[in-house]
Amino acid sequence: MIKEIALGVVAALFIVFLWQGINVAPLLFLAGMSALLYFLLQTRSGFNSKNFSLVNNDKAHNLVKFEQIGGQETAKKELLEALDFIRYPHKVAKMGIRPLKGILLVGPPGTGKTLLAKAAATYTDSVFLAASGSEFIEMYAGVGAQRIRQIFAQAKNLARKENKKSAIIFIDEIEILGGKRGTHLSHHEYDQTLNQLLVEMDGMSTDKGVRTLVIGATNRADLLDNALVRPGRFDRIVQVDLPDVVARKEILKLHVANKPLDANVDLDQLARETFGFSGAHLESVANEAAILAMRERQERITQKHFHDAIEKVMMGEKLERKPDKAELWRVAVHEIGHALASERVRPGSVSNVTTTPRGKALGYMRQSPENDSYLYTQQYLEGQIFVMVAGAAAEEIILGNRSTGACNDFEQAVKVAKQMLAAGMSALGTVSLEDLPKSLLHREIQQIIARQQANAEEYLSRKHNLIVELAEILMHEERISGEFIRTRLQEEQKCAG
Ligand code: ATP
């Protein structure tokens, strides 16, 4: 309003000057320069350029409650405990406990950190402001610090406006602005931003009106500056891990609650099959299954839709491209190699084999679920490498050479071999991978993999005819079941016996 009146007055003055015959060119020049200067200052300070996503109490975050977050029991428990500091400030003050200022949620992407922060705001009836670490960093020095001041002020103002007693500021990817000081190239800007955050957090307890809590989320807590994680700043570090089998079932249950399911859908089995999936992956599985059912004009989502959805989330969308016959033959041989090796180390483990191209893979062998394990023995890891290199071994035996199709298998095999070295399972004994000369590390990895390659070639060369037979069937059928492979293996063993 004031801006409009001022503009009106200036315009009127110009008209009067013109009327009086006064030369207004210098004034016009001066006004133009002032406008330009004003614009530059505005952009630099970031006043207009950023609006942090405000999710206040009316719609969005109020929809998220702790009950709608599957699993994460430990994280929820720790968070709830910390939030009681906000909910019951008098109790806390009576005990002489200093209020919590920050909670750090640490975990891989898609595990529900944002959901937990939103649920925290609902639980404490707070206003909720969300921003990502990258939103604070710009090329102009001082902008980040300005934005930090802005978000803290915004949180307080909003809480007062909404008559709330508390505000939660959620900063995702906090490692971007809270990284160790002095490590960035343009470190002055980064350091200033982090310093401002520390200043704001230190000043939080002096504001009696609105209690503010900062929730930070990261999957790289190791990158954070020590000053940020010291007591009195981010007092609590809550681990938000990938869900285990029970949590996966719970998350799936939450995401299928609004979907029409066929009676054959078995969530226990789906939970077992999705080891390593995050909450976001599971949400995507439920969604993709519903899309597949709709594409087929089915009224209900079946177990098969879920299986296809898991494959899609794991490997990517089915590709239209059809490889030529020679390529298809190679893919079939390669996948049968993996499948026979998998049955060798873990009988009953193959779920199915297919030559349908998906994502980056031209075909793949899927193993049936194992129990969630977090510890692996040397024998298990060697078995894994044996299965990984068996695709290339089958190509070598049947086609006389290898192809680039095995690149990903070898990358995985190297990872597992490194894991073995780190766990002291190699001939080198207990070693520190960082201190090991590169050439020695390389030689040891090569030896571990070469042993399994020799084992795979030895085993598969005894299965020459079976590989050819199964690969021919796979080429024509596009998919064969683990059951079929097991039957043929048994028959072959009987004949050999
Ligand atoms: P990022 O680190 O990538 O920001 P995040 O850990 O913050 O990820 P969210 O954004 O909270 O993850 O989760 C993404 C989506 O995944 C949610 O909207 C929800 O649909 C689903 N999801 C994740 N975890 C859970 C869970 N524990 N229960 C139910 N749904 C979940």
Side-chain angles (χ1 to χ4, degrees):
M1 185 69 176
I2 293 170
K3 236 190 229 173
E4 279 84 6
I5 293 172
L7 275 176
V9 170
V10 170
L13 273 175
F14 269 111
I15 292 169
V16 172
F17 287 156
L18 277 174
W19 188 262
Q20 298 289 322
I22 299 171
N23 181 12
V24 291
L27 283 175
L28 267 177
F29 178 72
L30 208 64
M33 289 307 283
S34 311
L36 185 68
L37 198 66
Y38 178 75
F39 172 76
L40 283 177
L41 281 174
Q42 290 279 298
T43 324
R44 191 181 138 91
S45 65
F47 265 111
N48 291 338
S49 55
K50 277 285 166 201
N51 263 328
F52 293 104
S53 34
L54 267 183
V55 193
N56 51 39
N57 60 321
D58 48 23
K59 296 177 208 95
H61 87 254
N62 248 6
L63 295 178
V64 183
K65 302 211 165 78
F66 280 114
E67 303 86 74
Q68 285 155 303
I69 302 175
Q72 302 300 359
E73 295 311 326
T74 320
K76 277 195 244 175
K77 194 175 137 270
E78 285 209 34
L79 196 55
L80 278 170
E81 215 178 86
L83 292 175
D84 283 342
F85 285 85
I86 294 196
R87 268 184 49 139
Y88 310 111
H90 300 304
K91 254 204 232 167
V92 174
K94 232 180 179 172
M95 297 299 289
I97 300 171
R98 113 183 111 66
L100 267 186
K101 292 181 183 173
I103 299 174
L104 192 65
L105 304 177
V106 182
T111 42
K113 296 184 290 297
T114 312
L115 280 186
L116 283 164
K118 286 183 181 170
T122 313
Y123 179 73
T124 51
D125 192 27
S126 307
V127 289
F128 181 75
L129 275 97
S132 166
S134 54
E135 288 176 62
F136 292 94
I137 304 297
E138 296 244 338
M139 56 182 196
Y140 300 116
V143 174
Q146 168 68 37
R147 288 188 181 148
I148 295 276
R149 279 195 291 277
Q150 188 195 355
I151 195 168
F152 275 81
Q154 219 176 333
K156 271 178 221 149
N157 291 340
L158 192 75
R160 286 196 191 106
K161 210 164 106 198
E162 305 263 332
N163 248 337
K164 304 265 178 192
K165 295 215 162 38
S166 50
I168 287 185
I169 297 174
F170 175 62
I171 306 178
D172 204 359
E173 300 178 322
I174 197 164
E175 75 280 1
I176 298 180
L177 78 95
K180 291 192 170 78
R181 278 173 287 187
T183 49
H184 292 285
L185 273 180
S186 61
H187 59 86
H188 193 56
E189 164 62 353
Y190 281 88
D191 296 356
Q192 263 192 355
T193 310
L194 174 57
N195 285 342
Q196 189 59 42
L197 178 63
L198 299 177
V199 167
E200 293 290 340
M201 288 185 83
D202 286 344
M204 266 158 49
S205 50
T206 55
D207 189 323
K208 300 281 180 246
V210 179
R211 289 182 300 279
T212 311
L213 178 74
V214 184
I215 299 186
T218 181
N219 49 8
R220 291 298 309 272
D222 55 311
L223 296 182
L224 293 178
D225 194 279
N226 286 339
L228 200 59
V229 283
R230 77 140 167 82
R233 302 253 172 75
F234 281 96
D235 291 276
R236 290 242 164 166
I237 299 187
V238 176
Q239 203 63 40
V240 188
D241 285 324
L242 285 173
D244 63 8
V245 67
V246 180
R248 291 201 294 276
K249 183 181 170 190
E250 259 183 56
I251 297 172
L252 279 169
K253 226 182 192 170
L254 286 168
H255 289 292
V256 298
N258 60 350
K259 298 180 173 63
L261 297 192
D262 191 88
N264 76 353
V265 172
D266 180 353
L267 291 185
D268 283 304
Q269 199 208 350
L270 295 176
R272 279 198 304 278
E273 282 192 27
T274 45
F275 177 72
F277 277 39
S278 67
H281 283 124
L282 295 167
E283 187 273 338
S284 179
V285 165
N287 200 45
E288 289 299 336
I291 292 173
L292 290 174
M294 199 172 77
R295 254 188 225 163
E296 291 175 13
R297 297 181 198 286
Q298 308 244 338
E299 303 244 308
R300 303 203 154 262
I301 311 168
T302 63
Q303 188 79 348
K304 183 181 171 302
H305 295 132
F306 277 102
H307 279 146
D308 287 350
I310 291 174
E311 283 184 6
K312 183 172 168 191
V313 172
M314 248 184 209
M315 320 273 306
E317 182 65 281
K318 269 187 201 168
L319 302 181
E320 285 309 316
R321 85 171 272 264
K322 279 266 159 253
D324 67 28
K325 223 170 160 199
E327 210 173 82
L328 198 61
W329 173 239
R330 187 178 284 277
V331 174
V333 166
H334 183 103
E335 298 309 328
I336 292 296
H338 283 312
L340 293 181
S342 179
E343 283 297 320
R344 165 94 171 152
V345 293
R346 187 161 67 92
S349 61
V350 177
S351 170
N352 59 59
V353 186
T354 151
T355 53
T356 313
R358 257 184 202 279
K360 285 191 190 148
L362 292 174
Y364 51 92
M365 183 264 308
R366 253 194 80 193
Q367 290 177 306
S368 52
E370 281 181 272
N371 293 333
D372 288 9
S373 340
Y374 302 96
L375 288 176
Y376 303 108
T377 61
Q378 178 170 352
Q379 193 189 6
Y380 177 88
L381 294 174
E382 281 171 350
Q384 293 271 90
I385 299 178
F386 176 77
V387 177
M388 285 163 189
V389 298
E395 283 185 56
E396 189 89 53
I397 291 162
I398 308 295
L399 298 150
N401 55 26
R402 296 174 182 191
S403 67
T404 51
C407 285
N408 188 38
D409 297 336
F410 288 133
E411 268 170 38
Q412 300 296 327
V414 167
K415 261 193 208 154
V416 179
K418 266 195 187 157
Q419 224 178 335
M420 288 177 61
L421 271 160
M425 294 173 183
S426 74
L428 298 177
T430 312
V431 284
S432 143
L433 288 193
E434 282 131 49
D435 300 331
L436 210 60
K438 270 212 158 136
S439 55
L440 192 56
L441 177 75
H442 179 67
R443 208 178 57 216
E444 201 52 39
I445 290 175
Q446 244 181 353
Q447 276 175 7
I448 292 176
I449 296 177
R451 265 197 298 279
Q452 295 314 317
Q453 248 162 348
N455 287 347
E457 276 171 29
E458 189 273 323
Y459 175 67
L460 291 178
S461 54
R462 286 191 272 127
K463 302 280 173 212
H464 187 287
N465 293 347
L466 188 61
I467 299 175
V468 172
E469 180 202 323
L470 289 171
E472 268 170 4
I473 299 172
L474 178 59
M475 225 173 118
H476 292 115
E477 308 271 316
E478 215 179 296
R479 165 186 290 249
I480 52 177
S481 69
E483 209 40 56
F484 181 79
I485 293 175
R486 282 186 282 281
T487 313
R488 284 298 300 117
L489 253 173
Q490 274 162 12
E491 285 167 1
E492 191 238 20
Q493 269 153 11
K494 260 187 218 154
C495 287

